[in-house]
Amino acid sequence: MTVAHIKRIDAPLHGVIKIPGDKSVSHRRALLSLLCREPVHLENFGPGKDCQATLDCIERLGKTVKVSGADVTISGEMSVREAEFDAANSGTTARLAMGLLAGMPGKWTIRGDTSLSKRPMERVAAPLREMGALIELTDGKLPARIMGGRLKSIRYELPVPSAQVKTAIMLAALHADGVTEIREPIVTRDHTERILGLRPARENDANLWRLDPSEVRINGDVLSAPVPGDISSGTFWMVAAALVQGSQVTLKMVSLNPTRTGIIEVLQKAGLQISTQNLRESAGEPVGDITITRDGSLHEFSLAGKDTAAVIDEIPALAVMATQCKGQTIVSDAGELRVKESDRLAAIIQNLRKMGVNILDTESGFSLNGPQQLSGATINPAADHRIAMAFALAGLIADGETKILQAECADISYPQFWQELIQISGRVVQLREEQ
Ligand code: S3P
């Protein structure tokens, strides 16, 4: 395994970073290419292993995938009627593929790695079965066996805010007779809706979506476009800048989709200065550059309800930041973190405690009083990319040395993370292969 050894940083962070392509957008465009005859060209495709799992899946289904650096070209036609594939660690690959394949004639089996095979899949299978899909799970988890065929439309109210479940239903609805309506309890990321050109079913009700398959046009032109940078990956640099007084970091060409920018509001609430430049639209997604400046003290930024849901992937990094904020930060309604790539609440709380932080586990969140000085420790990220990267930032401000075990797990979403960190931190980080 790779172990990252991190020492306390002694100067503010300064840098301009090009953020890799958005994971959610990359998965969606690649999977939807299965419905196109024309080639699809994707620049700045998400570089991590998760997005690679989606490319592997569509290759198994008969598509030809050519990768040149961050550019991906997908061509050919879906040619098989039976396939088994491995979604590896990627919940988005597994759940979105379940939705798409449920409506495509054939026999499909989806597997995952140890972590993914523990994650709940019934939340996706249940609505798909209502649509008439034939899906067998294994105790509500992967492997999933699907007999794809024609589906019927449904009206469905999501019990949990989940863009993956919402998207799985939308992808299935493309092969359903009639109009499907989906209500989400809280607005979640809307990349699929933007690609499919959907509108909320009613004005002034952004939570109700309507999909009429006869109105949706998917072709190579709709899907071929540069993928904006992933603001969830960019969060690590924003939080790194937040941790060290006098820092300033600019992120280039990042998605500014309002369903993803909750992190900017949270950082502003904590006292950071954030500005955006070069705003434009790329294939229906707003993009721009973000500059974050730490010039002053940080204060608490409690989160609950829809505000928690809006930054669900960013909470590991925000938990590290909370230790440096003055006052009591309470994060509640974050129970979904228990079923991510690891039990992220447990990983956050256990590892912060190892660093000497006094933090209260509230079952669906945590509460801590800041600021608290961190002590270097050995961090076990439970093979979870976002935990490893969040605690690397903690290492930058901890006394003594911090060791991040399984540092290679950052490859799931951000293979360049450690090289960028070494550059921006002035080399307080060393990577070593260890037993
Ligand atoms: C994602 C949705 C979220 C998020 C995940 C990506 C997506 O998961 O945590 O990283 O691309 O739709 P849930 O749908 O489980 O909330």
Side-chain angles (χ1 to χ4, degrees):
M1 99 178 131
T2 309
V3 179
H5 294 253
I6 306 173
K7 295 214 177 78
R8 193 187 170 90
I9 193 165
D10 52 15
L13 293 144
H14 284 278
V16 178
I17 302 178
K18 165 109 171 44
I19 301 299
D22 188 89
K23 198 154 81 73
S24 296
V25 172
S26 300
H27 284 301
R28 284 159 172 77
R29 295 224 190 119
L31 279 169
L32 280 165
S33 75
L34 287 168
L35 305 181
C36 296
R37 284 163 184 254
E38 310 83 8
V40 171
H41 302 287
L42 299 168
E43 283 166 46
N44 200 35
F45 190 78
K49 286 188 172 170
D50 267 12
C51 292
Q52 184 59 46
T54 288
L55 294 181
D56 292 347
C57 153
I58 62 174
E59 254 184 337
R60 283 208 163 239
L61 295 170
K63 287 280 190 178
T64 304
V65 176
K66 289 215 169 88
V67 180
S68 165
D71 296 345
V72 172
T73 304
I74 304 166
S75 57
E77 281 195 50
M78 180 167 167
S79 52
V80 299
R81 288 284 170 262
E82 181 165 356
E84 174 163 337
F85 59 87
D86 184 4
N89 196 246
S90 175
T92 314
T93 307
R95 292 178 173 144
L96 270 49
M98 275 170 75
L100 193 60
L101 294 174
M104 298 177 91
K107 219 169 147 188
W108 319 115
T109 302
I110 307 174
R111 300 183 182 280
D113 70 4
T114 320
S115 150
L116 186 56
S117 304
K118 289 187 194 144
R119 296 178 66 188
M121 294 295 152
E122 191 57 39
R123 52 175 66 188
V124 186
L128 297 177
R129 288 198 196 103
E130 269 189 42
M131 299 176 88
L134 299 173
I135 301 182
E136 267 177 37
L137 296 175
T138 316
D139 291 332
K141 317 245 161 69
L142 294 182
R145 292 189 175 76
I146 304 166
M147 283 290 284
R150 195 73 202 166
L151 303 174
K152 58 178 192 286
S153 57
I154 51 167
R155 285 188 169 173
Y156 195 75
E157 191 149 341
L158 292 181
V160 279
S162 166
Q164 291 178 353
V165 179
K166 174 179 67 172
T167 297
I169 302 170
M170 286 177 171
L171 298 180
L174 294 173
H175 298 110
D177 296 321
V179 178
T180 292
E181 281 191 0
I182 307 166
R183 175 171 289 285
E184 42 180 354
I186 287 176
V187 173
T188 62
R189 64 193 70 192
D190 65 359
H191 306 296
T192 313
E193 293 87 314
R194 286 170 184 262
I195 297 170
L196 300 180
L198 305 184
R199 299 246 161 277
R202 290 189 213 119
E203 245 177 82
N204 304 324
D205 185 355
N207 299 43
L208 183 67
W209 292 94
R210 183 180 175 279
L211 191 151
D212 180 347
S214 68
E215 287 175 358
V216 176
R217 297 277 165 272
I218 304 282
N219 58 41
D221 285 347
V222 171
L223 298 177
S224 296
V227 177
D230 195 323
I231 194 165
S232 299
S233 298
T235 291
F236 295 105
W237 310 122
M238 293 198 271
V239 169
L243 294 176
V244 190
Q245 172 65 12
S247 297
Q248 185 171 74
V249 171
T250 295
L251 312 178
K252 299 298 278 183
M253 219 198 100
V254 184
S255 168
L256 293 172
N257 177 320
T259 61
R260 299 289 299 282
T261 50
I263 180 66
I264 294 183
E265 283 147 44
V266 177
L267 293 173
Q268 282 172 328
K269 189 172 163 194
L272 279 311
Q273 290 157 28
I274 300 197
S275 63
T276 51
Q277 310 90 35
N278 296 325
L279 303 182
R280 59 200 182 282
E281 179 130 333
S282 171
E285 292 277 346
V287 297
D289 304 340
I290 305 176
T291 299
I292 174 159
T293 310
R294 161 87 192 267
D295 181 17
S297 57
L298 300 179
H299 32 263
E300 65 85 13
F301 58 86
S302 291
L303 293 168
K306 66 176 180 22
D307 296 335
T308 301
V311 291
I312 199 75
D313 288 345
E314 286 73 66
I315 288 178
L318 286 174
V320 170
M321 190 175 88
T323 66
Q324 303 310 303
C325 293
K326 189 163 184 295
Q328 187 181 23
T329 294
I330 304 173
V331 173
S332 31
D333 306 318
E336 273 297 298
L337 290 178
R338 300 235 178 249
V339 289
K340 294 290 180 189
E341 288 84 328
S342 68
D343 175 344
R344 282 192 179 150
L345 279 178
I348 289 168
I349 292 165
Q350 282 163 15
N351 284 312
L352 281 181
R353 281 187 180 148
K354 273 195 183 170
M355 299 187 90
V357 174
N358 189 3
I359 178 169
L360 184 69
D361 181 343
T362 58
E363 206 36 52
S364 69
F366 57 85
S367 150
L368 65 84
N369 269 299
Q372 297 186 35
Q373 179 55 47
L374 305 182
S375 313
T378 299
I379 302 299
N380 178 356
D384 184 331
H385 54 133
R386 296 201 202 279
I387 298 294
M389 294 188 277
F391 278 86
L393 309 182
L396 295 179
I397 52 162
D399 287 337
E401 187 184 74
T402 297
K403 282 201 244 174
I404 312 285
L405 308 179
Q406 302 170 327
E408 68 281 358
C409 69
D411 290 355
I412 291 291
S413 60
Y414 200 167
Q416 306 93 325
F417 174 79
W418 294 108
Q419 287 320 315
E420 297 281 15
L421 183 63
I422 289 168
Q423 266 195 353
I424 197 170
S425 66
R427 302 182 194 286
V428 296
V429 181
Q430 279 192 354
L431 296 179
R432 292 187 208 142
E433 288 309 313
E434 291 176 20
Q435 292 291 345

